Every structure is written in C-alpha cells, then in structure tokens.
Amino acid sequence: MKPILRILAAGTLGITLGALSCVKNTSPAGPFSLPPTTPANYLSQWGTIGTGNGQFENPEGIAVNSSGTTVYVVDGSNNKIQAFDNSGLFLNQWGGYGTGNGLFGYNVMGIAVNNAGSTVYVTDQGNHRVQAFSGTGVYLGQWGSMGNGNGQFTYPSGIAVNSSGTTVYVADSLNGRIEAFDGVGNYLSQWGTIGGGNGQFYSPQGIAVNNTGTTVYVVDSSAERVEAFDGSGAYLTQWGAYGSGNGKFYSPQGIAVNEAVTAVYVVDSGNNRVQVFDGSGNYLAQWGIFGSWDGMFKRPAFIAADFSGNLYVTDRGNNRVEKFGPFP
C-alpha cells in the first residue's frame, strides 16, 4: 500500500497509510507540539552565540540612547561592548579582556548612556570600577577600586543615569548599597546596608531612574523584590516576594522605566519572563516563558526602554537581543 505524504501545518508532516494516520512534528519545540503563541508586542531579534560582530556569549546589560537610534549591549563573556542601530544592524564594538583603560575584567555587567548620548557608562565588575566612553567607544575615564569605602566597589552590577546627566547611580552588589556620583565620577552619596529591611539590600542588581529623577528603582535580586527611593536615597516603597505568581520573582535582575506608558519593567530571570508594574508597584501584566521561539526567554538578564516605548531584552541563555513594542 502506497503511503500518502500530507503537509498538515507549518512544521508538521502527516503520513496516511490506509486507515492509519501518523503525525510527526518537525519543529524544535519537541514532538507532537506546535510553536507557542508569539507575544503580541514581539517585534524582532538579533544575535547568535559566538565571538564575531553581532554575536554574543552571555549578553548582560543593555542601554538605548535618547533618540532611540543606538542600542548598546554588554557582551559579557566576550568582554566587550557592541553597538547596533535599533533594528539590530551592527555598528561597532570596543573592549577586550584586561585591566587597562578600555579593557574589561570577567563579568562585564551593567551599562547606561546619558541623554545627550555623549557618555556611555559601563560597570566593569571584575575590575571593580566604572568606565566611561563616548557614544562611539572612545575611552574617557574611570573611577572605583575594590573595597567598601566611599567610591569603592565590590562587584558593581547595574548602573543608571538621570535625565540631566548630573547623577550616576551604581548598584554596589556585594557591599549591599547604592552609590551616587556626578557625571565624571566624583562621589556624591550612598545609601543601603546588607540586610532584608526597608532600604537594605542582599544583592542589588538592576537599577533605573524615572525621567524626572524623583524615583530610583532597585532590584534586590536575592531578596526577590524591587525597592523604590527618591533621588537622594530616601526609602519610598517595595514590592515582590519569592514565587512564580503575578508580582512575585525568582532571581530578578534588570529593570527599566518606560515614561511613555508610566510602567516599570522587571526582568524576572528565574521565571523567564518580564513583569510590568505601575510606578507604585501594582502588577499590570507580563510576557515570556522558557524557550527559544520568538518572544521566549532563557535566563533573560537586563532590559532597556526607548522614548517611543520600545523594549529591548538581553536573552542571555539564547545569546540574543529581543525587541518588543510598547506593552501593555
């Protein structure tokens, strides 16, 4: 009896032999399953694993200039910064492994760019410092050394700059605090100690500041929460707890503020999703599940928002950047 090959759906083959029908799914999601629904706000992606231009090994921090024309990505394990246009076209890169000016130690982590687009700040975690570059990667300066004194760091993580460019906030991860500097690295102030109380941190990671500079949001990853402060470090509120339900977290990391829709986006890394809150921490929505299809994540790390409301997420386990439209 001659078998009849039928195409049933994208990624699915059907074979009919007499009265017997067999279905084989050829998609990478696994046998006998169809691709999941792509999130409605998914737009595009770029990147594969590797060391070449436009490739990544464990992408971490991400930032977008104020005009939305350039996206900067920390290529963590390749010890470099890569710059792209907002469609993912490679523009340039800089860095390399080392301790000299413009080089990075292991675990390059956070990145931020001022509104003028003139300065890109990078937390060089392995060298316990912040380095500053022009928008095209020219080395400008640095500050910090290993320690717990004013202006020192122990594995700094997230970094953010206010809209006027006058204050740079750095999450000093293992010292359990936030340090504030002016735009060229002069120490201004700090807040936080190690602990689980209001205004304390176990492991501050992502940090973001709203457009008016009145609220600074900090992801305390090991405490599974987000804390909010005013621009001088006075405690305002917090939200989150360990879990997988709405508004709960499992190893959250990155955070961004989208002024266009007054939303705070938190990368809930362990739950492979992005959760959305209002500025006071009220849960609004979420998207993402574990996987490699469009709009899915494997250990997502950081997030950035442009002034049009578009969102860029470093999908660390898939070695790519995913771009989403405004949400919700």
Side-chain angles (χ1 to χ4, degrees), residues 36-324:
T37 301
T38 301
N41 63 326
Y42 172 83
L43 295 177
S44 62
Q45 63 177 277
W46 67 87
T48 58
I49 189 170
T51 60
N53 295 346
Q55 294 184 308
F56 306 109
E57 289 191 13
N58 296 313
E60 296 284 357
I62 190 165
V64 188
N65 66 357
S66 60
S67 62
T69 56
T70 306
V71 181
Y72 300 96
V73 182
V74 173
D75 189 5
S77 295
N78 286 324
N79 307 103
K80 63 185 178 183
I81 308 302
Q82 296 196 59
F84 304 85
D85 72 10
N86 57 21
S87 66
L89 178 67
F90 175 82
L91 298 176
N92 72 317
Q93 64 174 284
W94 67 88
Y97 181 76
T99 60
N101 295 346
L103 300 177
F104 303 108
Y106 66 90
N107 248 17
V108 197
M109 189 60 64
I111 192 167
V113 56
N114 65 0
N115 268 2
S118 58
T119 309
V120 177
Y121 301 96
V122 181
T123 49
D124 183 6
Q125 191 172 73
N127 288 319
H128 310 283
R129 65 185 179 184
V130 172
Q131 294 197 68
F133 303 87
S134 73
T136 57
V138 176
Y139 174 82
L140 299 177
Q142 64 176 277
W143 69 88
S145 60
M146 187 174 184
N148 58 14
N150 294 348
Q152 293 186 305
F153 306 110
T154 305
Y155 297 102
S157 183
I159 189 167
V161 56
N162 66 0
S163 60
S164 63
T166 56
T167 308
V168 178
Y169 300 96
V170 182
D172 187 11
S173 183
L174 291 195
N175 285 322
R177 65 184 179 181
I178 304 301
E179 292 193 272
F181 304 85
D182 68 16
V184 294
N186 295 305
Y187 173 84
L188 298 176
S189 64
Q190 64 176 276
W191 70 87
T193 57
I194 295 174
N198 294 348
Q200 293 184 304
F201 308 103
Y202 283 121
S203 179
Q205 295 290 322
I207 187 168
V209 56
N210 67 356
N211 192 46
T212 59
T214 56
T215 309
V216 180
Y217 299 95
V218 182
V219 174
D220 188 6
S221 185
S222 295
E224 319 289 353
R225 66 181 178 179
V226 174
E227 293 190 88
F229 304 85
D230 70 14
S232 61
Y235 173 84
L236 299 176
T237 188
Q238 65 175 279
W239 67 90
Y242 174 78
S244 58
N246 295 347
K248 295 186 176 183
F249 303 113
Y250 175 27
S251 297
Q253 189 165 5
I255 191 166
V257 180
N258 187 338
E259 302 293 341
V261 293
T262 317
V264 178
Y265 300 87
V266 182
V267 178
D268 188 8
S269 184
N271 286 319
N272 297 290
R273 64 185 179 182
V274 174
Q275 295 198 68
V276 191
F277 304 87
D278 68 17
S280 300
N282 297 302
Y283 172 83
L284 299 176
Q286 64 176 275
W287 79 88
I289 58 174
F290 178 83
S292 299
W293 292 98
D294 295 349
M296 299 173 72
F297 303 114
K298 286 185 179 178
R299 296 183 299 110
F302 285 84
I303 187 169
D306 67 24
F307 277 83
S308 298
N310 296 308
L311 301 157
Y312 303 83
V313 180
T314 48
D315 186 11
R316 182 169 44 201
N318 285 316
N319 293 291
R320 65 184 179 183
V321 172
E322 293 194 273
K323 181 179 179 179
F324 299 88

